[in-house]
């Protein structure tokens, strides 16, 4: 059956329903869906600009007691290959990020039961004493572990983190926001309700975040649609999300057997998400998992942002996604896609447009 009636509905500004989204997921008309997603993106971003942020991922610990089935990164507490980075190593990584005009640090690690809550607040304070940098760090699973370890409430934990220097939450670990799939893949990670509650509470205490989505765990199309609905509802209620970042599960090197999601399926999910989430302004391309060429294509399927330079990304690379892209390549790919690259900050404010400014771009590339 044609999906034209749903796409027309979206074009006219009407919201699509969970049932509509399921129909789109079941359709093969990927290009048509992509076209409408591109129009929706252009409503938010009429200029042909694609942004990116210069940032670094710091995986400060790989000890984790959540044992997600799909994760190739973690080590159980006490394991000989486990680590917690020394603060000096973290400071060094931040300095290196500053040295290449970086503005954002994404600290993410396992849910380490041996780290007291003060570890995080002290570290944030020490970082902010030394650097003018945006701390876009910790996913809801880590935050909930801090709640457990500290005995404080969720709101108290987030307030203290914010006061110590945390600026925003990356919203990792959303995977699929439905408890049937969550139980199957990450039984101990918490429910979808807890994930949403964490992001909404972060906004309440003054921090924005982003929402992620990972497909390819054998979830149903209904579960994918429900994921979108739950993000849209939370956004209606609090405006907590600055961006949506969908990507695909990478089964290599993990204990989970699953078919790798095709680039078409990634693009379709991206486009449906852009159409469904009419209240989320920014969509990030997922070049780390899908590779630069698909990343480039995603800019006509709803994305206005090329994500982070991600100087370091152990969690994804441990599972075999080896598409490393640096700033230089990001500038080139965005241009090849017919867009103008611009560096942004974590709040999606443009810092620097590389518009026809070949010299600036060249200088920039030389420096980096
Ligand atoms: S995905 Fe995160 S929470 Fe799950 S096992 Fe890996 S490090 Fe732990």
């Amino acid at each position: 059956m044609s999906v034209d009636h749903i796409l027309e509905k979206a074009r006219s500004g009407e919201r699509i329903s969970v049932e509509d989204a399921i129909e789109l997921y079941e359709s093969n008309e990927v290009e048509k869906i992509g076209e409408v997603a591109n129009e929706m993106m252009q409503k938010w971003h009429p200029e042909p600009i694609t942004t990116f942020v210069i940032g670094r991922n710091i995986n400060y610990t790989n000890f984790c007691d959540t044992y997600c089935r799909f994760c190739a990164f973690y080590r159980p507490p006490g394991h000989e290959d486990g680590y917690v980075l020394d603060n000096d190593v973290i400071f060094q990584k931040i300095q290196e990020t500053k040295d290449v005009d970086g503005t954002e640090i994404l600290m993410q690690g396992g849910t380490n039961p041996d780290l007291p809550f003060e570890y995080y607040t002290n570290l944030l304070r020490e970082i902010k004493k030394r650097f003018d940098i945006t701390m876009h760090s910790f996913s809801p699973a880590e935050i909930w572990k801090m709640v457990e370890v500290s005995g404080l409430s969720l709101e108290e934990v987030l307030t203290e983190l914010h006061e110590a220097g945390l600026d925003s939450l990356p919203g990792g670990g959303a995977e699929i926001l439905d408890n049937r799939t969550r139980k199957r893949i990450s039984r101990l990670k918490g429910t979808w309700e807890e994930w949403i509650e964490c992001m909404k509470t972060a906004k309440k205490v003054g921090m924005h975040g982003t929402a992620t989505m990972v497909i390819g765990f054998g979830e149903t199309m209904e579960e994918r649609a429900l994921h979108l609905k739950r993000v849209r509802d939370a956004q209606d209620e609090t405006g907590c999300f600055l961006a949506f970042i969908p990507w695909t599960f990478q089964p290599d090197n993990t204990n989970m057997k699953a078919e790798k999601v095709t680039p078409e399926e990634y693009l379709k999910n991206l486009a449906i998400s852009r159409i469904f989430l009419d209240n989320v302004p920014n969509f990030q391309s997922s070049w780390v998992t899908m590779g630069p060429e698909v990343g480039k294509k995603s800019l006509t399927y709803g994305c206005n942002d090329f994500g982070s330079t991600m100087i370091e990304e152990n969690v994804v690379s441990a599972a075999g996604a080896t598409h490393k892209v640096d700033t230089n390549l990001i500038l080139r790919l965005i241009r090849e896609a017919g867009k103008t690259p611009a560096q942004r900050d974590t709040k999606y404010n443009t810092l620097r447009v590389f518009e026809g400014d070949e010299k600036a771009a060249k200088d920039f590339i030389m420096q980096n």
Side-chain angles (χ1 to χ4, degrees):
M1 204 175 105
S2 161
V3 291
D4 288 359
H5 63 291
I6 300 171
L7 297 178
E8 270 320 306
K9 196 169 154 181
R11 268 202 175 107
S12 68
E14 207 183 313
R15 279 194 156 173
I16 69 165
S17 64
V18 167
E19 292 70 32
D20 292 335
I22 296 170
E23 258 190 69
L24 292 180
Y25 278 120
E26 284 166 355
S27 149
N28 291 326
E29 301 189 79
V30 183
E31 282 182 20
K32 250 190 199 177
I33 300 171
E35 246 173 62
V36 177
N38 195 35
E39 287 169 25
M40 305 284 276
M41 185 276 283
Q42 284 168 341
K43 276 192 195 159
W44 284 100
H45 307 280
E47 301 294 328
I49 286 179
T50 297
T51 49
F52 64 95
V53 66
I54 300 182
R56 180 161 200 173
N57 271 25
I58 300 180
N59 300 126
Y60 61 97
T61 182
N62 65 348
F63 282 121
C64 187
D65 63 358
T66 298
Y67 315 113
C68 301
R69 278 181 62 208
F70 56 83
C71 180
F73 165 74
Y74 82 88
R75 294 293 178 271
H79 193 283
E80 58 179 16
D81 296 336
Y83 69 82
V84 178
L85 292 183
D86 284 341
N87 284 4
D88 284 341
V89 173
I90 294 175
F91 300 152
Q92 174 66 27
K93 287 174 185 288
I94 298 175
Q95 185 58 55
E96 288 164 10
T97 311
K98 292 286 294 176
D99 291 345
V100 294
D101 283 345
T103 60
E104 174 182 293
I105 295 295
L106 200 157
M107 284 203 9
Q108 243 178 332
T111 58
N112 186 336
D114 297 321
L115 291 177
F117 183 48
E118 293 67 41
Y119 163 84
Y120 302 95
T121 46
N122 290 341
L123 178 59
L124 285 165
R125 272 192 208 97
E126 292 303 317
I127 289 171
K128 287 295 173 119
K129 251 189 238 164
R130 291 168 172 76
F131 304 101
D132 174 20
I133 192 112
T134 301
M135 295 303 291
H136 175 60
S137 298
F138 310 126
S139 63
E142 290 157 277
I143 302 286
W144 280 110
K145 181 55 67 181
M146 295 177 209
V147 170
E148 186 189 312
V149 167
S150 67
L152 299 170
S153 71
L154 175 64
E155 189 169 335
E156 285 165 343
V157 162
L158 287 164
T159 303
E160 286 198 26
L161 289 171
H162 188 38
E163 282 169 4
L166 184 63
D167 298 292
S168 77
L169 244 59
E175 276 97 49
I176 289 291
L177 292 173
D178 191 81
N179 292 340
R180 191 193 69 97
T181 297
R182 296 182 85 72
K183 270 202 192 114
R184 200 160 47 76
I185 62 174
S186 51
R187 199 170 48 86
L188 301 176
K189 207 171 197 168
T191 60
W192 72 263
E193 291 93 338
E194 286 169 325
W195 189 93
I196 292 277
E197 189 191 346
C198 183
M199 299 310 292
K200 288 202 299 199
T201 310
K203 178 68 183 3
K204 189 176 167 199
V205 307
M207 295 183 284
H208 275 101
T210 57
T212 56
M213 175 182 196
V214 187
I215 60 166
F217 294 115
E219 70 283 349
T220 65
M221 298 307 118
E222 187 190 2
E223 286 165 350
R224 285 187 191 175
L226 284 171
H227 180 109
L228 299 178
K229 174 84 165 69
R230 286 158 182 168
V231 170
R232 189 170 75 183
D233 287 349
Q235 182 74 344
D236 277 344
E237 220 181 294
T238 63
C240 50
F241 302 120
L242 283 178
F244 189 72
I245 315 160
W247 72 87
T248 65
F249 171 52
Q250 301 292 304
D252 308 346
N253 305 340
T254 74
N255 292 328
M256 262 190 77
K257 286 205 171 60
E259 292 243 326
K260 228 177 175 164
V261 175
T262 62
E264 289 70 34
E265 193 63 20
Y266 162 72
L267 291 170
K268 182 159 80 170
N269 182 54
L270 163 65
I272 295 170
S273 307
R274 177 54 107 169
I275 294 170
F276 195 98
L277 297 173
D278 59 352
N279 53 0
V280 179
N282 302 294
F283 271 59
Q284 260 187 41
S285 173
S286 184
W287 50 262
V288 179
T289 46
M290 300 313 298
E293 287 308 316
V294 181
K296 210 158 77 176
K297 218 166 173 193
S298 69
L299 300 183
T300 54
Y301 276 76
C303 286
N304 61 298
D305 187 85
F306 225 57
S308 164
T309 47
M310 291 223 187
I311 299 167
E312 196 169 329
E313 226 302 26
N314 290 330
V315 177
V316 176
S317 62
T322 50
H323 303 286
K324 297 236 163 179
V325 181
D326 60 12
T327 308
N328 184 349
L329 186 51
I330 285 180
L331 289 175
R332 182 163 70 72
L333 293 173
I334 292 173
R335 287 202 161 114
E336 280 174 8
K339 311 275 182 181
T340 303
Q343 186 188 349
R344 65 162 171 87
D345 64 14
T346 306
K347 289 196 164 161
Y348 288 79
N349 299 309
T350 300
L351 299 177
R352 175 177 193 180
V353 181
F354 294 92
E355 192 162 23
D357 189 354
E358 291 306 325
K359 188 175 175 309
K362 210 167 150 208
D363 289 350
F364 185 79
I365 289 166
M366 299 282 283
Q367 283 167 24
N368 293 283

